[in-house]
Amino acid sequence: MKKLLVLFFFVPFLSRAQFTISNSSTTSLVELRTGNWPLDLQRIIKNTDTCYVLQFRDQQVTDDVTMATLRFGNLEQLRYFQKGLAALRTGANGDIANYKTYTIKRMDMRKDADPKKNGIWYLVTSSDGPVTNIQQAEADKMIATIKML
């Protein structure tokens, strides 16, 4: 009987752990817009893996809030996104940067009535459908943030 009690006492210590501790964190690198049409670049760290995510509201759906993410597997892929924005800045209206999972298209907007809507915009389209736009001032902030990483 004593052997059984000792056995039941030490078995939990000898068996494998029932759970594991996972180190993960999500950090907002730059929050470009808030409110109805948020746009946020985030760094996600899980254990030793780091990925980057551009989180935005899909602008194709106006009657419901549908959040979408554009995932960059590592810093190198995020830098390609930054280089695309920088290259299109010096490009012409209608220029497109094509990537495997997304495209960036430059659109020059001219609306005399609303000066905030004038200027250069970028249309970011994910390969699985969601779309967002980025104004030049927001693109400049994103480029500067990615350069610092």
Side-chain angles (χ1 to χ4, degrees):
M1 182 71 171
K2 289 182 183 179
K3 290 180 183 178
L4 284 175
L5 287 175
V6 171
L7 182 64
F8 285 119
F9 180 72
F10 286 111
V11 168
F13 295 112
L14 298 175
S15 66
R16 285 183 22 196
Q18 299 291 327
F19 63 93
T20 58
I21 297 173
S22 176
N23 295 329
S24 65
S25 69
T26 301
T27 306
S28 178
L29 298 174
V30 61
E31 189 171 21
L32 300 170
R33 283 192 304 247
T34 59
N36 291 338
W37 302 98
L39 182 63
D40 189 19
L41 180 63
Q42 300 175 343
R43 176 185 347 193
I44 300 172
I45 301 172
K46 288 189 178 181
N47 296 330
T48 59
D49 295 332
T50 302
C51 71
Y52 299 87
V53 171
L54 182 64
Q55 187 174 23
F56 56 93
R57 179 177 170 189
D58 187 1
Q59 294 190 349
Q60 295 178 28
V61 183
T62 57
D63 58 344
D64 195 15
V65 177
T66 304
M67 295 300 290
T69 57
L70 181 59
R71 186 176 187 274
F72 305 99
N74 54 33
L75 184 57
E76 183 180 5
Q77 291 177 5
L78 183 63
R79 290 198 193 276
Y80 281 123
F81 178 73
Q82 176 250 330
K83 289 176 184 177
L85 286 173
L88 289 175
R89 181 179 190 193
T90 59
N93 185 28
D95 286 350
I96 298 175
N98 287 314
Y99 296 92
K100 186 176 181 179
T101 59
Y102 62 95
T103 61
I104 309 170
K105 181 178 181 180
R106 177 183 164 149
M107 299 184 328
D108 293 348
M109 304 293 274
R110 303 281 181 234
K111 293 185 180 184
D112 297 327
D114 189 1
K116 286 185 178 181
K117 299 207 179 218
N118 289 341
I120 301 171
W121 289 51
Y122 303 98
L123 187 67
V124 179
T125 307
S126 178
S127 61
D128 55 346
V131 174
T132 191
N133 60 32
I134 302 172
Q135 295 180 17
Q136 184 62 55
E138 296 167 341
D140 291 341
K141 289 178 187 175
M142 192 173 305
I143 289 168
T145 300
I146 295 170
K147 279 184 179 179
M148 291 188 318
L149 298 176

